[in-house]
């Protein structure tokens, strides 16, 4: 079973040809980081234009790379990200997916972007046994999802304000580093020391929710107050406190659910310090932890293909007049498309 998958929900244009039996046939992801860097975050209108500019080129490259193995005729269906995301960016991928499906007379299978992240751990077919917990840490989301089975989700923790990746991006902007902030802070933190004690909002509350805006404000106050600080030390102190918060809330989720299988997915899970600290903690607690390879932590179409295949196997498909939505919650999407 072969799917062509399309992902354009934020600032990566990504297309993949993915087979249920053989895995990745070919794929290409183009990041728009350079375009948004001077603004310290994604500019929706610029993002949409870049998707339009690049999507055909990417499609062509993916087909060329697969040429000797698979072609358009072999595609069984088209998977695409329907929601959530920047609406202008989603529109490009959805219109493209519809056009290809219509031209090839193939089914269209909608995928929820977070579901894509959740299923990124199945890149090796093994994934994790159900039920498992998925910590989704990205630029738009910070969620702990209890995955009982395919498309059976319960969001048991979420952020009350900024997403964790967003706080990396905002702190990086304050430090004058550019966008995306996560990798830039990670690099800087390698040369830093833990000098500053930053707050851990909501950490004492007995629930699974996160809050990162207070932490961002604390960094802002620190930068205004201290003239001679080293950016490296701020980066390290910030990254360390974020990691402690994520681990503490995850520990509580494991305790509350009794589930000792954990996926860590989304762009922020590309952070090596976070990966190492989580792995160390999980080993100590006897928690089985699975983190996708770096290229599949950040947005990509392969994860959309993996989830799309599961949906297609269950007979789920959309009409050709389907339209993107900026924010359908995961549980609602699962109910509508089951
Ligand atoms: O999953 P993703 O590619 O897009 C969304 O769905 O949001 O995540 C992007 C986010 C950005 O906020 C970026 O700064 C963050 O992931 N990120 C990182 C790292 N690489 C990307 N954060 C921390 N450390 C990293 N190495
Ligand atoms: Zn994402």
């Amino acid at each position: 079973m072969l799917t062509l998958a399309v992902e354009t929900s934020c600032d990566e244009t990504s297309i993949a040809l993915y087979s249920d039996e053989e895995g990745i046939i070919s794929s290409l992801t183009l990041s728009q980081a350079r375009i948004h860097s001077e603004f310290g975050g994604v500019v929706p209108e610029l993002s949409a234009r870049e998707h339009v500019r690049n999507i055909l080129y990417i499609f062509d490259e993916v087909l060329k790379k697969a040429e000797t193995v698979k072609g358009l005729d072999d595609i069984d269906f088209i998977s695409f990200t329907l929601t959530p995301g920047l609406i202008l960016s989603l529109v490009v991928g959805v219109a493209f997916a519809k056009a290809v499906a219509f031209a090839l007379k193939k089914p269209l299978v909608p995928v929820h972007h977070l579901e894509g992240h959740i299923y990124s751990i199945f890149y090796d077919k093994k994934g994790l046994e159900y039920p498992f917990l998925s910590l989704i840490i990205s630029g738009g989301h910070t969620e702990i999802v209890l995955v009982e089975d395919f498309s059976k989700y319960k969001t048991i923790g979420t952020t009350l304000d900024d997403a964790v990746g967003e706080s990396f991006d905002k702190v990086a902007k304050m430090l004058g580093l550019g966008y995306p902030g996560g990798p830039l802070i990670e690099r800087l933190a390698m040369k830093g020391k833990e000098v500053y004690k930053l707050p851990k909002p909501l950490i004492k509350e007995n629930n699974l929710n996160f809050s990162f805006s207070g932490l961002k404000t604390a960094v802002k106050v620190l930068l205004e107050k201290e003239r001679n600080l080293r950016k490296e030390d701020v980066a390290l102190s910030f990254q360390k406190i974020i990691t402690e918060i994520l681990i503490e809330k995850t520990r509580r989720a494991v305790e509350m659910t009794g589930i000792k299988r954990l996926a860590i997915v989304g762009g922020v899970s590309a952070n090596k310090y976070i990966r190492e600290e989580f792995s160390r903690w999980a080993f100590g607690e006897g928690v089985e932890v699975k983190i996708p390879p770096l290229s599949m932590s950040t947005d990509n179409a392969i994860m959309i293909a993996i989830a799309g295949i599961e949906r297609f196997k269950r007979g789920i498909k959309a009409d050709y007049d389907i339209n993107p939505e900026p924010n359908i919650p995961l549980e609602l999407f699962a109910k509508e498309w089951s």
Side-chain angles (χ1 to χ4, degrees):
M1 189 186 297
L2 184 75
T3 185
L4 178 85
V6 184
E7 154 65 43
T8 65
S9 66
C10 192
D11 62 335
E12 263 95 22
T13 322
S14 185
I15 295 185
L17 264 180
Y18 187 91
S19 142
D20 192 21
E21 300 81 20
E22 296 158 75
I24 305 166
I25 304 297
S26 75
S27 82
L28 184 60
T29 302
L30 226 62
S31 164
Q32 305 171 354
R34 207 175 40 81
I35 308 283
H36 303 292
S37 183
E38 64 176 293
F39 304 100
V42 179
V43 182
E45 202 263 356
L46 290 182
S47 172
R49 280 188 197 211
E50 284 306 299
H51 287 309
V52 172
R53 205 189 305 279
N54 295 324
I55 200 157
L56 268 184
Y57 161 77
I58 294 174
F59 183 45
D60 196 38
E61 286 296 307
V62 166
L63 290 179
K64 273 195 220 148
K65 276 206 273 178
E67 209 164 40
T68 51
V69 197
K70 299 271 191 250
L72 278 180
D73 294 344
D74 303 309
I75 294 171
D76 295 301
F77 66 101
I78 317 295
S79 319
F80 68 102
T81 305
L82 178 74
T83 187
L86 300 170
I87 192 68
L88 292 177
S89 303
L90 284 167
V91 160
V92 181
V94 175
F96 178 81
K98 282 165 69 160
V100 176
F102 184 76
L104 297 179
K105 297 193 173 45
K106 297 291 177 188
L108 258 179
V109 177
V111 172
H112 194 284
H113 182 77
L114 294 188
E115 178 173 66
H117 278 303
I118 291 171
Y119 282 88
S120 63
I121 60 157
F122 287 84
Y123 67 92
D124 60 355
K125 296 256 172 206
K126 291 195 227 81
L128 282 172
E129 235 178 76
Y130 296 109
F132 62 85
L133 296 172
S134 188
L135 175 69
I136 308 174
I137 40 178
S138 72
H141 294 88
T142 309
E143 327 262 323
I144 305 177
V145 179
L146 165 56
V147 186
E148 291 171 332
D149 204 334
F150 179 77
S151 204
K152 290 217 163 31
Y153 311 118
K154 274 197 192 122
T155 303
I156 56 174
T158 189
T159 180
L160 304 180
D161 39 59
D162 294 348
V164 60
E166 188 182 356
S167 71
F168 266 100
D169 296 337
K170 287 180 176 168
V171 167
K173 191 176 177 182
M174 286 180 217
L175 292 172
L177 300 178
Y179 174 87
L184 299 167
I185 289 189
E186 179 178 11
R187 204 170 313 141
L188 207 59
M190 283 172 187
K191 290 178 270 167
K193 291 197 218 61
E194 196 194 356
V195 177
Y196 305 106
K197 264 253 149 308
L198 295 165
K200 287 195 240 180
L202 298 192
I203 208 70
K204 291 208 176 76
E205 290 189 21
N206 195 22
N207 60 41
L208 302 176
N209 290 332
F210 300 91
S211 166
F212 293 107
S213 75
L215 182 54
K216 173 192 66 189
T217 310
V219 173
K220 188 163 176 266
V221 171
L222 177 69
L223 293 177
E224 282 163 1
K225 222 171 50 192
E226 298 236 3
R227 298 225 159 257
N228 295 321
L229 44 66
R230 288 175 71 235
K231 286 183 181 178
E232 291 85 345
D233 298 338
V234 179
L236 181 132
S237 306
F238 172 76
Q239 182 175 266
K240 188 158 186 294
I241 211 83
I242 289 266
T243 310
E244 285 176 16
I245 296 168
L246 292 173
I247 292 183
E248 176 53 26
K249 290 288 178 177
T250 307
R251 188 193 64 70
R252 220 168 273 183
V254 169
E255 195 179 271
M256 281 166 71
T257 60
I259 295 170
K260 290 200 151 198
R261 283 179 293 274
L262 171 71
I264 309 173
V265 300
V268 179
S269 73
N271 185 293
K272 287 190 204 68
Y273 179 76
I274 293 177
R275 292 167 95 95
E276 280 165 17
E277 289 299 299
F278 258 104
S279 300
R280 200 198 336 233
W281 164 79
F283 184 73
E285 300 270 323
V287 172
E288 184 184 358
V289 69
K290 187 117 191 184
I291 314 175
L294 293 187
S295 60
M296 286 195 57
S297 291
T298 46
D299 288 350
N300 65 87
I302 298 164
M303 67 186 196
I304 302 302
I306 297 172
I309 284 181
E310 293 306 312
R311 292 211 160 274
F312 185 70
K313 279 183 188 167
R314 289 162 177 81
I316 297 164
K317 54 186 180 175
D319 291 337
Y320 288 145
D321 64 356
I322 188 164
N323 290 309
E325 290 285 342
N327 199 9
I328 303 180
L330 185 60
E331 283 93 338
L332 188 63
F333 176 90
K335 210 185 282 171
E336 275 180 20
W337 298 97
S338 59

